[in-house]
Amino acid sequence: MHMSITLELAKDCAAVIGAFVGLGTLIKAVIEYARQGRQKRAEQFLQMRIRLYENSKFREICGLLTEGDKKLRDVPLADRFDYLGLFEDVALMLNSNMIRPGVAHYMFGYFAILCWESEHFWHGLDRDGRYWSLFKDFAARMTEMEKKFSFDRRQLRF
């Protein structure tokens, strides 16, 4: 009888230890999954930044927007479409929770707002056309965030 109780106790202890090991493994897997998710979001975000700042056409557009230059009217429509497409990609990432709102605003909001407000950029384009709805929504979100902005490093993370 004493041997039977000891065996049952050993089995119970082994089951409890096994459950803790399994729980520990699960927690470790969830943490690793979250870390990989942050890493993937960071990589995607950095690719967006590279597209904006290493593309010579986009750098030119950014400069012209900053200066409010009339030369924006002369930028080929295809280049302006591509530029808007970059911000729509950021908006899609934002809408899919792949990028935090604070990060989207801090890193892309300034140029999205300048673009939306530039009469010269939109020359020859239908700013209110349905195909720019995503950009329009993104620019509106960035404008609202700009009005309330105050630096908070907790908001600027992947």
Side-chain angles (χ1 to χ4, degrees):
M1 172 125 163
H2 178 44
M3 181 77 140
S4 164
I5 292 174
T6 305
L7 283 174
E8 278 188 43
L9 184 59
K11 286 180 186 178
D12 290 345
C13 285
V16 168
I17 291 170
F20 278 120
V21 168
L23 181 60
T25 302
L26 176 64
I27 290 170
K28 184 177 177 182
V30 167
I31 290 170
E32 180 62 21
Y33 179 77
R35 187 188 66 75
Q36 287 178 358
R38 278 193 309 274
Q39 182 177 354
K40 186 169 181 101
R41 286 192 303 272
E43 289 169 3
Q44 289 172 329
F45 167 78
L46 292 173
Q47 287 301 318
M48 302 300 283
R49 293 276 297 174
I50 287 168
R51 279 178 62 194
L52 180 60
Y53 292 111
E54 291 189 9
N55 180 313
S56 61
K57 293 175 185 176
F58 291 174
R59 272 198 324 266
E60 178 187 2
I61 291 171
C62 288
L64 294 172
L65 283 168
T66 301
E67 297 166 11
D69 199 313
K70 278 180 135 177
K71 291 179 187 173
L72 282 164
R73 294 171 176 251
D74 301 328
V75 172
L77 286 176
D79 293 346
R80 288 189 270 164
F81 288 164
D82 289 345
Y83 187 80
L84 291 168
L86 169 79
F87 290 99
E88 290 189 324
D89 290 347
V90 173
L92 288 171
M93 290 176 68
L94 179 62
N95 293 347
S96 301
N97 295 319
M98 295 174 69
I99 186 172
R100 292 175 186 267
V103 172
H105 169 259
Y106 193 79
M107 300 308 234
F108 298 100
Y110 176 74
F111 287 113
I113 293 167
L114 284 179
C115 182
W116 179 253
E117 294 175 349
S118 172
E119 295 298 324
H120 300 306
F121 181 92
W122 289 96
H123 178 76
L125 295 171
D126 180 10
R127 182 187 334 216
D128 293 315
R130 65 180 166 187
Y131 294 111
W132 302 120
S133 297
L134 182 59
F135 177 78
K136 180 180 180 178
D137 179 68
F138 179 69
R141 283 180 76 177
M142 295 300 101
T143 300
E144 284 304 309
M145 291 184 75
E146 183 69 22
K147 290 176 186 174
K148 301 172 188 172
F149 179 76
S150 67
F151 178 76
D152 180 356
R153 84 175 60 146
R154 294 170 297 180
Q155 299 297 315
L156 299 175
R157 59 190 172 92
F158 296 107

